[in-house]
């Protein structure tokens, strides 16, 4: 499974961005896709995830502001981000868990910068 993340950029506080994660390869084996982020000097943290059955999970710090969704027709998962805050500034990565062993695949990351 290969992932291509896109959609990052510079936005003012309160603004919105939509990230995309396009999957290719053995997409039928994907169990879940998640968005993670890593700010400078911080550990990578889970932002949101969506499972093959449709269940979605969100980190507390994005609940009510971010929405994860998917388009099965083109194997793309989206992260709609609203009411962005400067503390949302980070590199955002998408991750796929796939196969019976839950193997990992990571996209290349896309930078989100929120100015105050």
């Amino acid at each position: 499974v290969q992932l291509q993340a896109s959609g990052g950029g510079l936005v003012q506080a309160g603004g919105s961005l939509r990230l995309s994660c396009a999957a290719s390869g053995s997409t039928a084996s994907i169990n879940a896709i998640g968005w993670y982020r890593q700010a400078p000097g911080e550990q990578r943290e889970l932002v949101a995830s969506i499972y093959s059955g449709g269940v979605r999970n969100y980190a507390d710090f994005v609940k009510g502001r971010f929405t994860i969704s998917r388009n099965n027709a083109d194997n793309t998962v989206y992260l709609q981000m609203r009411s962005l805050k400067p503390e949302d500034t980070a590199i955002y990565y998408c991750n796929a868990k796939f196969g019976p062993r839950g193997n990992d695949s990571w996209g290349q990351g896309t930078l989100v910068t929120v100015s105050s």
Side-chain angles (χ1 to χ4, degrees):
V1 173
Q2 296 80 45
L3 302 175
Q4 180 73 35
S6 61
L10 173 64
V11 64
Q12 289 187 331
S16 300
L17 278 176
R18 189 179 78 161
L19 306 183
S20 300
C21 176
S24 60
S26 302
T27 57
S29 68
I30 294 175
N31 302 313
I33 288 184
W35 282 100
Y36 291 73
R37 70 185 187 186
Q38 188 167 19
E42 302 290 333
Q43 290 189 333
R44 193 171 296 188
E45 59 186 357
L46 178 64
V47 176
S49 58
I50 185 166
Y51 289 79
S52 57
V55 173
R56 306 173 191 187
N57 291 316
Y58 296 93
D60 287 343
F61 52 79
V62 302
K63 282 182 179 177
R65 299 190 298 126
F66 292 10
T67 302
I68 191 168
S69 63
R70 66 184 182 192
N71 183 336
N72 291 329
D74 61 9
N75 296 309
T76 301
V77 170
Y78 301 98
L79 184 69
Q80 179 68 53
M81 306 185 294
R82 297 182 177 88
S83 302
L84 283 162
K85 306 174 182 180
E87 52 263 44
D88 293 318
T89 295
I91 299 175
Y92 284 70
Y93 300 88
C94 57
N95 165 273
K97 304 286 188 190
F98 65 97
R101 299 179 182 178
N103 294 329
D104 277 303
S105 177
W106 289 92
Q108 83 283 11
T110 185
L111 176 63
V112 172
T113 303
V114 184
S115 63
S116 58

